[in-house]
Amino acid sequence: MPRTRRKAREVMRVPRSDALLPEFDRGTVPEGLVTRRALREMGLSPGDNTGPVAVLRCRLCVTRPNWACRHPTRGFLLRVDLARPKRVPTLAQELALDRATAARSTCPKCSRRYFYCLPLRTVGSCDPCARGYEPTPGTYVLTTTPVTHRLAA
């Protein structure tokens, strides 16, 4: 069966003056505007930012200053002064998350808690129980007492 050729993707060129948000090249972003990733590294959440304030152009569009950046690698800039500190989960929330993770990573047949989520919906047990071999000790949690919680705080 012969392969069908894909059509070349048409480049949408939008003049820069028609862009709705101001655009900045990398290294020319004014103080007070950062991306979501930079906010996360600062320990902040978007907070009262309702949407992006400006667009961070991709590296490819630096060579085309008259055109707006339409690539998926562009970034959106948010204001730092409207950002808020990240919320810290309570111990009850961490306990609930730990119980949910324990339920997904504990085998119902051998009661071993693994370091990864098990395919309980499809297989119903861990791989060693399903195939009938002994697991290696580095793949599951080695404890003599049952693990009740593994809270971070």
Side-chain angles (χ1 to χ4, degrees):
M1 183 174 190
R3 282 189 181 177
T4 58
R5 287 191 163 200
R6 289 186 184 181
K7 291 183 180 178
R9 193 169 63 180
E10 294 181 24
V11 177
M12 291 185 62
R13 291 190 174 178
V14 179
R16 197 164 185 179
S17 61
D18 291 345
L20 300 176
L21 296 173
E23 295 183 0
F24 297 102
D25 292 328
R26 296 176 187 271
T28 63
V29 178
E31 290 288 326
L33 296 180
V34 293
T35 60
R36 287 181 71 95
R37 181 173 287 184
L39 278 178
R40 189 181 334 128
E41 289 173 358
M42 288 189 271
L44 301 172
S45 67
D48 293 333
N49 282 301
T50 56
V53 180
V55 175
L56 179 65
R57 300 180 76 196
C58 66
R59 292 183 189 144
L60 188 70
C61 290
V62 173
T63 59
R64 297 176 232 157
N66 296 332
W67 300 103
C69 181
R70 304 275 296 172
H71 295 101
T73 56
R74 69 181 183 269
F76 295 103
L77 299 172
L78 302 170
R79 290 175 47 185
V80 177
D81 58 341
L82 296 178
R84 291 186 178 169
K86 282 186 181 178
R87 296 186 311 175
V88 178
T90 63
L91 286 176
Q93 288 172 332
E94 285 191 19
L95 180 63
L97 288 173
D98 184 60
R99 285 181 179 164
T101 304
R104 294 178 65 195
S105 61
T106 303
C107 178
K109 292 183 180 178
C110 63
S111 300
R112 289 187 182 110
R113 183 170 176 181
Y114 288 84
F115 292 111
Y116 53 89
C117 293
L118 299 174
L120 298 177
R121 187 175 290 176
T122 56
V123 179
S125 64
C126 63
D127 197 40
C129 289
R131 295 188 182 182
Y133 64 89
E134 192 64 28
T136 57
T139 58
Y140 58 90
V141 179
L142 293 171
T143 58
T144 56
T145 59
V147 178
T148 56
H149 66 81
R150 297 176 67 100
L151 299 179

